[in-house]
């Protein structure tokens, strides 16, 4: 399984970006996909997740109300709409795919840089 993340860029505070993550090479149904991020000097942190079946979504408290995760099952693609961006959202964003549970992610994308200036 390969995950291709795209959509990162530079934006001013208050702006918006939409990230995409397309999965290819999948020969089975996975359980969920998620976005994580890692800022310089910090540990990687969970941002949001969506279950493929049913579409239940989960968010970190820091992004609730500003970010929206969604999926397109037909395209095997997950999106992260990021609104009201803050400088503290600056990080490399990674998408990840979980085969069985949301506790462990089995496949990771290459990361896309998001930079928010004040």
């Amino acid at each position: 399984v390969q995950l291709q993340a795209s959509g990162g860029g530079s934006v001013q505070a208050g702006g918006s970006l939409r990230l995409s993550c397309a999965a290819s090479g999948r020969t089975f149904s996975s359980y969920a996909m998620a976005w994580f991020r890692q800022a310089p000097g910090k540990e990687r942190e969970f941002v949001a997740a969506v279950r493929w079946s049913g579409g239940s979504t989960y968010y970190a408290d820091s992004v609730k109300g500003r970010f929206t995760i969604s999926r397109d099952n037909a395209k095997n693609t997950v999106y992260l709409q990021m609104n009201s961006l803050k400088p503290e959202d600056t990080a490399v964003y990674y998408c990840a795919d979980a085969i069985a549970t949301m506790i462990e992610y089995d496949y990771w994308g290459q990361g896309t840089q998001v930079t928010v200036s004040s």
Side-chain angles (χ1 to χ4, degrees), residues 18-82:
R18 189 173 87 150
L19 306 183
S20 300
C21 180
S24 61
R26 190 195 305 280
T27 60
F28 50 85
S29 298
S30 73
Y31 184 76
M33 283 189 71
W35 290 95
F36 291 77
R37 66 187 181 186
Q38 187 167 21
K42 295 187 177 181
E43 293 188 352
R44 185 173 60 197
E45 64 175 358
F46 169 80
V47 175
V50 60
R51 290 180 57 179
W52 283 108
S53 177
S56 297
T57 57
Y58 309 85
Y59 296 94
D61 288 342
S62 59
V63 306
K64 279 181 183 176
R66 300 188 298 122
F67 291 11
T68 302
I69 190 170
S70 61
R71 91 275 191 233
D72 184 329
N73 292 53
K75 295 182 178 180
N76 267 336
T77 299
V78 171
Y79 305 96
L80 185 67
Q81 178 66 44
M82 305 185 294

